[in-house]
C-alpha cells in the first residue's frame, strides 16, 4: 500500500529553503475541525482501549425523519449499555438540522451527536468519514437511515470481537421487503454468509453496510476505517476491501440486523426509476461505470505490493439474490400445513370411531 | 384519567423495565394533548420479590413524578389473570378511564406509540381492540396496513377500551401464559368488535432472542394450545397439541390436564356453544399463528 509522505519539516535537510505555503484546503465543517486532531491521537492511548463505547454512524438527508427516527429507536433498544448515535446530515436546511438535534430530548439517556454537512452535493463517503472522526467510541458501526438493527446486534458483535481478538466482526442480515407505506410483505435471507471469504468479497461486496462493527483500537489509524471519498456508489466497499485485506473478521451466524428494501426498489441506489429521463438514465449509468473503474483502480492499488495476487483464481461471482429451487420449495412448504392438518383430521376421526365402537 | 397502563413482571429484566417506563414518561401525547392523562400500574407476579428494587430503579427516571405509578404484588396467577387483577385495581382507584393498555415488560414503546394508538382508536369510535406493531421483528400474521384489520391482536402491547374489556370479561384465566390474547381477540370479534393492528404505533419487542427451547416456553405454549383447541372445539388442533405435548408430559399428566379443562367448561360455557357455523376468523388451520401469515 502506497504511503503518503509527511508534510512536516522534521526530515528536511538543514538550510533548505521553505517552499511557498500551499493554498489552504477548503475548511471542513466546524465539528470536524475541532475533533480531528484530538480523536486522531486518541486511538492508541491506553484510555481509548478501556473505552467500551460503540458509536453507530447514521448518514441522512432531507425528508427522511421518520425512517431515521425508526433507525435511532432500534439503536436505543439495543441491550448494549455504552452506545452513542452519530447522525451526519447532508443538506442545506438549518431547520432540519435543528429538528434532528431535538431527537436528544426523546432519548436523553443515549448520547446523540448531530453533524451537519451543508452541501447539496452527494458526499456520502465524506459524510461517513465525518462520522468516524467525530465518534467517541472504540467500536464503530454504520446504519443506513432506513434500516434497523436487532436488540442484540451490538452486544453480540462486541462479544465476538472481544472473544476472538479480531479487529472487526459481522452478523447476518435479514431482508424485509416492504411496500410504499412500510408494510413488510416478505422476509428473506439472501445474504447469509456464515463463512467469510476474502476472495468472494474481492469479487463482489456481499456485506451490508450495517452488519459489521470495527474495533478502532486495533487499526493502525482511524483513517484506516475511512470510506473512499472518490466513490459515491458502494463507497463502503473500498474500505471493506482494505480492512479485509489486513484483518480477518469474526463472523456471527445469527441474524443481527434487517435490511429494508422497498418493493419498487426506490430506497436503493440501484434504483433507476421509471420516470427517469433518457439523459438522467445515461448520467446514472455513467456514474456506475465511473464507480466500477474506481473500484478496479483501488483494487490494483491495494495489491500493488503483492505480486502473486495476479495468479489468484477467483470463485464465480456470488449470487446475492436469486430464486433458487430450495427457496421455491421453502415458500411452498406452507402447503405442508394443509397436509398435516388433514392427517390430524384423520387421526381425530379414528379416535372418535374407536370411541364409538368401544362404547 | 384517560388511560391505565398495566405491566406484569415476573423475574423481569429491570433495566428493560426502566427503559420501558422512561419512554412511557416521554410519550408525545403529553405535548400534543396535555389534557390526556395516563397512569401506570405494575404488578409483580412473583409475590413482590422485585417490587422494591423496581420502585428504586424507576424512581431514578427523570420526570417520573409526572406519571402516577403504583406497584402491586401477587402470587403468580398467570398473564391473563394478572391483567384482570390490575384492571380491577384500576377500576377501584379511578372513577373513570377510557382505555386499558396491557404492556409487556420485555419491550419498549416508541415515543409516539400511545398517541398513535389513541388517535387510531378514536377514529374507529373505540369499537375494537388495538395492538401496536411489533418492532423490529414483526409478528408474521397478516394485517391490512390501511384499515388495520387483523385476525387477532397480540397481548404484548394491546389497548382495549374499558367498556369492551368489561363486556368481554377480560382475559380468560384458564390460560396461564400464551394464547390468552388470541382467545380475547376471538371473543371480542364474536361480540362484533374489531381487532386492529395500528401500523404507525411501534412497540419494540425483543423477539430476536425468543427461544422455544428455553425453560418451559414450548411446553406452556402447547398447554395453552390444547386449552384453546378445547375452548373452540377444534378436534384436529387438540389432537395435534396432545401429540406434541407427549414430548414434555406423560400421558397421565395430559389426561389430568384435559380433565381439568373439561371441569372448567362445566362452569363456563363454550364461546361457540350457540353458534352452528364457526366464524372464519377462528382459524386453526394456520397452526400456532391462528391467521394467514406473510412469511
Amino acid at each position: 500500500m502506497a504511503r503518503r509522505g509527511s508534510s512536516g519539516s522534521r526530515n528536511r535537510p538543514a538550510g533548505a529553503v521553505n517552499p511557498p505555503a500551499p493554498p489552504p484546503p477548503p475548511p471542513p465543517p466546524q465539528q470536524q475541525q475541532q475533533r480531528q486532531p484530538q480523536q486522531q491521537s486518541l486511538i492508541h492511548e491506553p484510555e481509548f482501549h478501556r473505552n467500551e463505547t460503540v458509536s453507530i454512524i447514521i448518514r441522512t438527508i432531507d425528508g427522511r425523519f421518520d425512517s431515521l427516527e425508526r433507525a435511532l429507536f432500534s439503536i436505543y433498544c439495543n441491550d448494549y449499555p455504552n452506545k452513542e448515535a452519530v447522525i451526519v446530515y447532508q443538506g442545506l436546511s438549518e431547520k432540519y438540522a435543528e429538528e434532528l438535534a431535538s431527537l436528544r430530548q426523546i432519548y436523553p439517556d443515549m448520547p446523540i451527536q448531530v453533524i451537519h454537512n451543508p452541501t447539496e452535493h452527494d458526499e456520502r463517503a465524506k459524510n461517513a468519514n465525518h462520522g468516524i472522526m467525530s465518534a467517541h467510541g472504540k467500536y464503530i458501526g454504520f446504519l443506513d437511515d432506513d434500516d434497523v438493527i436487532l436488540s442484540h446486534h451490538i452486544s453480540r458483535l462486541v462479544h465476538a470481537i472481544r472473544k476472538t481478538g479480531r479487529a472487526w466482526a459481522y452478523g447476518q442480515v435479514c431482508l424485509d421487503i416492504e411496500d410504499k407505506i412500510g408494510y413488510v410483505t416478505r422476509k428473506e435471507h439472501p445474504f447469509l454468509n456464515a463463512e467469510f471469504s476474502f476472495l468472494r468479497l474481492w469479487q463482489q461486496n456481499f456485506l451490508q453496510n450495517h452488519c459489521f462493527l470495527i474495533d478502532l483500537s486495533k487499526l493502525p489509524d482511524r483513517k484506516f476505517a475511512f470510506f473512499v471519498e472518490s466513490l459515491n456508489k458502494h463507497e463502503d466497499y473500498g474500505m471493506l476491501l482494505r480492512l479485509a485485506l489486513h484483518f480477518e473478521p469474526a463472523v456471527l451466524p445469527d441474524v443481527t440486523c434487517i435490511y429494508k428494501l422497498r418493493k419498487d426498489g426506490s430506497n436503493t441506489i440501484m434504483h433507476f426509476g421509471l420516470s427517469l429521463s433518457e439523459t438522467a438514465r445515461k448520467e446514472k449509468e455513467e456514474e456506475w461505470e465511473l464507480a466500477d473503474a474506481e473500484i478496479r483502480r483501488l483494487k490494483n492499488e491495494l495489491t500493488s505490493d503483492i505480486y502473486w495476487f495476479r495468479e489468484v483464481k477467483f470463485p464465480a461471482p456470488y449470487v446475492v439474490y436469486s430464486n433458487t429451487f430450495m427457496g421455491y420449495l421453502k415458500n411452498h412448504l406452507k402447503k405442508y400445513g394443509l397436509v398435516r392438518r388433514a392427517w390430524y383430521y384423520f387421526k381425530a376421526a379414528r379416535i372418535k370411531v374407536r370411541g364409538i365402537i368401544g362404547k | 384519567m384517560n388511560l391505565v397502563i398495566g405491566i406484569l413482571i415476573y423475574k423481569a429484566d429491570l433495566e428493560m423495565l426502566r427503559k420501558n417506563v422512561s419512554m412511557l414518561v416521554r410519550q408525545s401525547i403529553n405535548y400534543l394533548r396535555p389534557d390526556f392523562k395516563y397512569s401506570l400500574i405494575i404488578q409483580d407476579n412473583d409475590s413482590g420479590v422485585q417490587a422494591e428494587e423496581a420502585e428504586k430503579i424507576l424512581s431514578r427516571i427523570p420526570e417520573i413524578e409526572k406519571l402516577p405509578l403504583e406497584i402491586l404484588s401477587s402470587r403468580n396467577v398467570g398473564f391473563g389473570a394478572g391483567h384482570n387483577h390490575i384492571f380491577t385495581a384500576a377500576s377501584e382507584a379511578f372513577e373513570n378511564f377510557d382505555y386499558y393498555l396491557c404492556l409487556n415488560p420485555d419491550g419498549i414503546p416508541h415515543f409516539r406509540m400511545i398517541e398513535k394508538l389513541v388517535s387510531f382508536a378514536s377514529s374507529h369510535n373505540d369499537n375494537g381492540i388495538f395492538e401496536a406493531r411489533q418492532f423490529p421483528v414483526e409478528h408474521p400474521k397478516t394485517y391490512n396496513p390501511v384499515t388495520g384489520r387483523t385476525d387477532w391482536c397480540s397481548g404484548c402491547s394491546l389497548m382495549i377500551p374499558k367498556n369492551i374489556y368489561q363486556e368481554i370479561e377480560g382475559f380468560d384465566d384458564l390460560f396461564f401464559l400464551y394464547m390468552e390474547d388470541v382467545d380475547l381477540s376471538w371473543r371480542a370479534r364474536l361480540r362484533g368488535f374489531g381487532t386492529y393492528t395500528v401500523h404507525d404505533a411501534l412497540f419494540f419487542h425483543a423477539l430476536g432472542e425468543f427461544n422455544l427451547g428455553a425453560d418451559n416456553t414450548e411446553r406452556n405454549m402447547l398447554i395453552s394450545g390444547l386449552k384453546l383447541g378445547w375452548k373452540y372445539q377444534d378436534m384436529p388442533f387438540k389432537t395435534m397439541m396432545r401429540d406434541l405435548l407427549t414430548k414434555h408430559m406423560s400421558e397421565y399428566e395430559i389426561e389430568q390436564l384435559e380433565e381439568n379443562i373439561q371441569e372448567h367448561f362445566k362452569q363456563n360455557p363454550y364461546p361457540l356453544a350457540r353458534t352452528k357455523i364457526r366464524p372464519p376468523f377462528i382459524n386453526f388451520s394456520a397452526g400456532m399463528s391462528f391467521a394467514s401469515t406473510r412469511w
Side-chain angles (χ1 to χ4, degrees):
Chain A
M1 212 166 53
R3 283 193 171 229
R4 305 257 181 271
S6 163
S7 61
S9 60
R10 208 167 32 171
N11 301 330
R12 203 173 294 138
V17 180
N18 280 345
Q30 206 180 358
Q31 292 93 329
Q32 196 196 1
Q33 220 171 16
Q34 286 166 355
R35 291 182 190 281
Q36 203 159 359
Q38 190 193 1
Q39 301 282 353
Q40 275 277 350
S41 59
L42 262 177
I43 72 163
H44 295 301
E45 298 286 328
E47 207 171 297
F48 188 75
H49 283 253
R50 282 194 293 273
N51 154 15
E52 292 300 331
T53 306
V54 173
S55 301
I56 301 288
I57 297 156
I58 316 174
R59 294 166 290 165
T60 192
I61 50 174
D62 288 303
R64 299 175 68 135
F65 188 83
D66 286 346
S67 59
L68 169 79
E69 206 287 308
R70 183 179 69 173
L72 207 61
F73 183 50
S74 79
I75 299 174
Y76 178 76
C77 293
N78 252 260
D79 54 9
Y80 190 81
N82 305 322
K83 52 189 183 264
E84 73 162 350
V86 182
I87 301 171
V88 187
Y89 160 56
Q90 173 197 292
L92 297 172
S93 166
E94 284 296 330
K95 201 180 160 195
Y96 192 64
E98 280 169 24
E99 214 175 309
L100 293 176
S102 72
L103 286 167
R104 291 192 191 109
Q105 290 165 10
I106 300 167
Y107 306 107
D109 39 356
M110 178 174 79
I112 298 174
Q113 287 191 57
V114 179
I115 298 163
H116 185 187
N117 180 11
T119 174
E120 54 188 356
H121 303 293
D122 185 1
E123 295 182 347
R124 56 186 76 203
K126 216 174 189 177
N127 296 336
N129 296 344
H130 286 180
I132 295 168
M133 288 314 294
S134 306
H136 292 113
K138 181 166 92 167
Y139 305 99
I140 55 161
F142 302 90
L143 182 60
D144 279 350
D145 60 5
D146 51 358
D147 293 332
V148 292
I149 53 177
L150 301 187
S151 62
H152 55 265
H153 173 80
I154 300 176
S155 57
R156 297 259 173 103
L157 288 177
V158 168
H159 178 73
I161 289 175
R162 280 186 202 151
K163 200 178 154 193
T164 58
R166 304 255 165 96
W168 62 300
Y170 72 84
Q172 307 300 321
V173 183
C174 165
L175 172 70
D176 273 8
I177 299 165
E178 294 182 341
D179 66 6
K180 267 183 192 172
I181 55 169
Y183 176 68
V184 182
T185 53
R186 265 193 358 246
K187 193 177 268 294
E188 293 180 5
H189 296 87
F191 310 116
L192 294 184
N193 286 285
E195 278 178 25
F196 179 74
S197 159
F198 175 75
L199 292 186
R200 278 214 187 282
L201 185 71
W202 194 262
Q203 285 284 80
Q204 192 174 357
N205 186 9
F206 59 79
L207 292 175
Q208 306 302 311
N209 151 3
H210 58 308
C211 74
F212 56 85
L213 208 64
I214 304 169
D215 181 350
L216 285 178
S217 69
K218 295 206 172 73
L219 305 186
D221 187 340
R222 188 178 280 262
K223 284 185 178 171
F224 201 85
F226 267 20
F227 285 22
V228 181
E229 292 193 5
S230 53
L231 283 171
N232 269 336
K233 305 269 179 285
H234 292 314
E235 65 285 358
D236 52 338
Y237 186 30
M239 183 274 287
L240 281 171
L241 286 173
R242 184 170 57 224
L243 192 67
L245 187 66
H246 295 270
F247 301 99
E248 189 184 353
V251 184
L252 276 183
D254 311 335
V255 171
T256 65
C257 45
I258 301 176
Y259 179 64
K260 300 273 186 186
L261 181 71
R262 288 273 162 90
K263 248 183 197 171
D264 58 2
S266 58
N267 66 336
T268 69
I269 49 167
M270 313 288 280
H271 181 61
F272 275 56
L274 289 172
S275 54
L276 220 58
S277 68
E278 195 56 35
T279 340
R281 182 176 290 272
K282 270 191 178 167
E283 263 176 32
K284 271 212 162 187
E285 279 170 4
E286 270 171 25
E287 277 177 26
W288 277 102
E289 276 168 24
L290 279 174
D292 284 345
E294 186 61 23
I295 285 285
R296 280 197 295 277
R297 188 199 63 74
L298 190 81
K299 283 178 178 174
N300 287 337
E301 189 186 307
L302 283 173
T303 53
S304 59
D305 296 342
I306 314 169
Y307 74 92
W308 48 263
F309 207 81
R310 291 190 296 269
E311 294 172 30
V312 174
K313 295 273 184 291
F314 290 101
Y318 184 71
V319 181
V320 171
Y321 193 80
S322 70
N323 281 331
T324 57
F325 173 69
M326 282 310 287
Y328 175 83
L329 201 66
K330 214 173 147 189
N331 286 339
H332 288 78
L333 265 182
K334 283 179 183 170
K335 283 180 186 169
Y336 176 63
L338 289 176
V339 176
R340 194 170 45 185
R341 190 167 164 77
W343 166 244
Y344 281 112
Y345 259 120
F346 170 71
K347 250 182 139 179
R350 207 174 53 171
I351 292 166
K352 234 176 185 175
V353 168
R354 274 185 188 168
I356 293 163
I357 294 168
K359 276 173 192 171
Chain B
M1 196 61 63
N2 301 89
L3 169 75
V4 175
I5 304 161
I7 299 180
L8 274 181
I9 57 171
Y10 179 78
K11 296 185 183 11
D13 174 358
L14 293 180
E15 173 54 21
M16 187 64 101
L17 182 71
R18 186 193 64 79
K19 278 187 172 178
N20 185 327
V21 178
S22 302
M23 287 305 269
L24 287 176
V25 172
R26 297 196 289 268
Q27 285 293 305
S28 60
I29 201 157
N30 290 321
Y31 313 103
L32 296 170
R33 284 182 57 184
D35 58 315
F36 191 91
K37 303 284 176 216
Y38 55 94
S39 74
L40 172 64
I41 301 178
I42 296 173
Q43 178 167 305
D44 182 7
N45 256 6
D46 198 7
S47 308
V49 170
Q50 283 187 306
E52 201 177 315
E53 203 186 338
E55 195 171 2
K56 213 167 148 186
I57 288 172
L58 298 183
S59 66
R60 288 189 216 127
I61 295 173
E63 301 182 33
I64 186 72
E65 62 284 352
K66 285 184 184 171
L67 178 66
L69 168 68
E70 196 180 340
I71 299 182
L72 310 174
S73 298
S74 159
R75 65 183 176 85
N76 194 5
V77 288
F79 183 89
H83 275 292
N84 289 344
H85 187 242
I86 298 179
F87 184 84
T88 314
S91 306
E92 284 165 9
F94 307 108
E95 267 183 28
N96 203 10
F97 60 93
D98 303 323
Y99 306 105
Y100 178 71
L101 173 64
C102 52
L103 216 57
N104 265 22
D106 63 341
I108 303 168
H110 185 263
F111 85 105
R112 285 208 184 100
M113 190 189 83
I114 294 180
E115 172 210 330
K116 298 286 180 189
L117 281 173
V118 169
S119 69
F120 189 92
S122 306
S123 68
H124 286 73
N125 302 320
D126 298 338
N127 193 30
I129 60 174
F130 308 90
E131 68 167 357
R133 177 157 63 109
Q134 291 182 30
F135 171 87
V137 181
E138 291 187 22
H139 194 285
K141 72 183 167 67
T142 48
Y143 67 92
N144 184 322
V146 181
T147 64
R149 280 273 180 191
T150 188
D151 280 354
W152 58 275
C153 293
S154 159
C156 90
S157 174
L158 175 63
M159 194 176 81
I160 310 166
K162 187 191 175 192
N163 59 327
I164 296 181
Y165 199 102
Q166 284 169 331
E167 194 175 331
I168 60 176
E169 294 167 2
F171 289 98
D172 185 348
D173 55 13
L174 169 72
F175 300 92
F176 185 79
L177 190 61
Y178 304 118
M179 290 171 217
E180 61 289 285
D181 44 6
V182 180
D183 166 58
L184 181 114
S185 306
W186 287 351
R187 281 185 291 117
R189 288 195 68 174
L190 284 169
R191 299 266 180 138
F193 302 114
T195 42
Y196 299 95
T197 302
V198 184
H199 179 74
D200 297 332
L202 297 181
F203 180 72
F204 165 81
H205 193 208
L207 265 181
E209 290 93 324
F210 192 76
N211 183 1
L212 274 182
D215 43 63
N216 288 326
T217 307
E218 190 177 343
R219 183 176 175 272
N220 287 337
M221 271 191 164
L222 294 171
I223 291 174
S224 292
L226 184 65
K227 289 174 178 175
L228 200 68
W230 267 99
K231 189 165 183 177
Y232 292 90
Q233 293 290 295
D234 190 275
M235 195 65 177
F237 193 76
K238 261 195 294 187
T239 319
M240 183 165 81
M241 291 296 112
R242 203 186 289 130
D243 271 13
L244 293 171
L245 260 175
T246 49
K247 281 185 209 163
H248 304 273
M249 294 165 87
S250 67
E251 283 290 340
Y252 175 73
E253 281 175 317
I254 296 171
E255 271 173 30
Q256 286 289 309
L257 177 67
E258 287 194 304
E259 272 174 29
N260 290 342
I261 297 169
Q262 280 169 307
E263 201 60 41
H264 176 87
F265 287 112
K266 277 180 188 165
Q267 290 147 20
N268 306 284
Y270 292 108
L272 298 177
R274 289 179 196 162
T275 330
K276 281 184 183 166
I277 302 165
R278 191 162 74 180
F281 57 81
I282 297 178
N283 182 359
F284 282 98
S285 61
M288 303 286 254
S289 300
F290 305 107
S292 55
T293 53
R294 290 172 278 172
W295 50 84

